[in-house]
Amino acid sequence: MPRAYPNLLRAKDIAQKESTFSHPWNPLSEIAYTHLSGEAGLKRAGVSLMRVQPGKESLAYHLHHREEEWLYILSGRAIARIDGEEYEMGPGDFVGFPAPSVAHNMANPFDEELVYLSGGEYHDLEVSDFPELGKRMVRVGEKMTSYDLADGRAMLDED
């Protein structure tokens, strides 16, 4: 029997590593996830297994300035809100968000659990906007700061 390869994740181990998160700016946000890429030792790409229960949403409606993102539906259905429009998605559907991206969010108004893969780039610096909330989040490494978009507008308008 070969020795275990440290970057090979088995299904039972993935299930044991699952965490939950609720975005503080969206009261409907409740997501169970496993950061597959981090558990497998990847540093530059992110891939997560995501589960959203009926009546819940993934995160807050947001967009990315630097990091590209994609979503691939494994099971269940979702309403993807993308750039102000709603699109129903189901198993086998894929959506990409090239950077800078348009605003997006996933909701599960259906009766069954939504399961999907979410992935993309992971840079040391990321800027995400939450247009409906007028907020911006800046992440440098693992440190995050948020502020009102209006507070940074003067700096951006000078360009």
Side-chain angles (χ1 to χ4, degrees):
M1 181 78 139
R3 67 180 172 87
Y5 181 67
N7 300 60
L8 172 61
L9 304 178
R10 300 292 185 183
K12 66 178 176 59
D13 299 324
I14 291 169
Q16 291 174 354
K17 300 283 186 179
E18 186 175 88
S19 300
T20 58
F21 176 78
S22 295
H23 197 285
W25 295 339
N26 180 354
L28 293 176
S29 169
E30 185 178 304
I31 195 160
Y33 68 94
T34 304
H35 284 299
L36 301 173
S37 53
E39 294 295 330
L42 300 177
K43 305 283 188 224
R44 298 183 306 227
V47 178
S48 295
L49 179 63
M50 316 289 261
R51 295 188 309 109
V52 179
Q53 295 302 314
K56 298 298 182 179
E57 296 183 8
S58 58
L59 304 170
Y61 189 62
H62 68 286
L63 60 90
H64 301 276
H65 285 272
R66 296 182 34 90
E67 295 178 344
E68 294 190 333
E69 182 179 16
W70 55 263
L71 307 172
Y72 179 76
I73 308 297
L74 297 171
S75 64
R77 293 182 295 153
I79 298 297
R81 190 156 60 115
I82 303 170
D83 200 23
E85 300 289 330
E86 291 187 348
Y87 303 88
E88 185 171 334
M89 294 180 68
D93 290 345
F94 179 91
V95 62
F97 301 104
S101 73
V102 296
H104 55 277
N105 188 39
M106 300 290 279
N108 181 3
F110 304 104
D111 292 335
E112 64 181 299
E113 178 182 65
L114 167 65
V115 181
Y116 64 98
L117 290 174
S118 173
E121 300 175 292
Y122 184 81
H123 295 290
D124 286 336
L125 171 66
E126 170 60 321
V127 177
S128 298
D129 289 347
F130 299 80
E132 293 177 334
L133 303 170
K135 299 229 179 251
R136 171 165 287 166
M137 184 275 305
V138 177
R139 180 185 48 75
V140 179
E142 297 298 318
K143 185 178 177 185
M144 288 187 242
T145 303
S146 62
Y147 58 91
D148 290 336
L149 271 170
D151 294 342
R153 196 159 311 279
M155 179 179 69
L156 295 175
D157 290 342
E158 291 176 11
D159 292 340

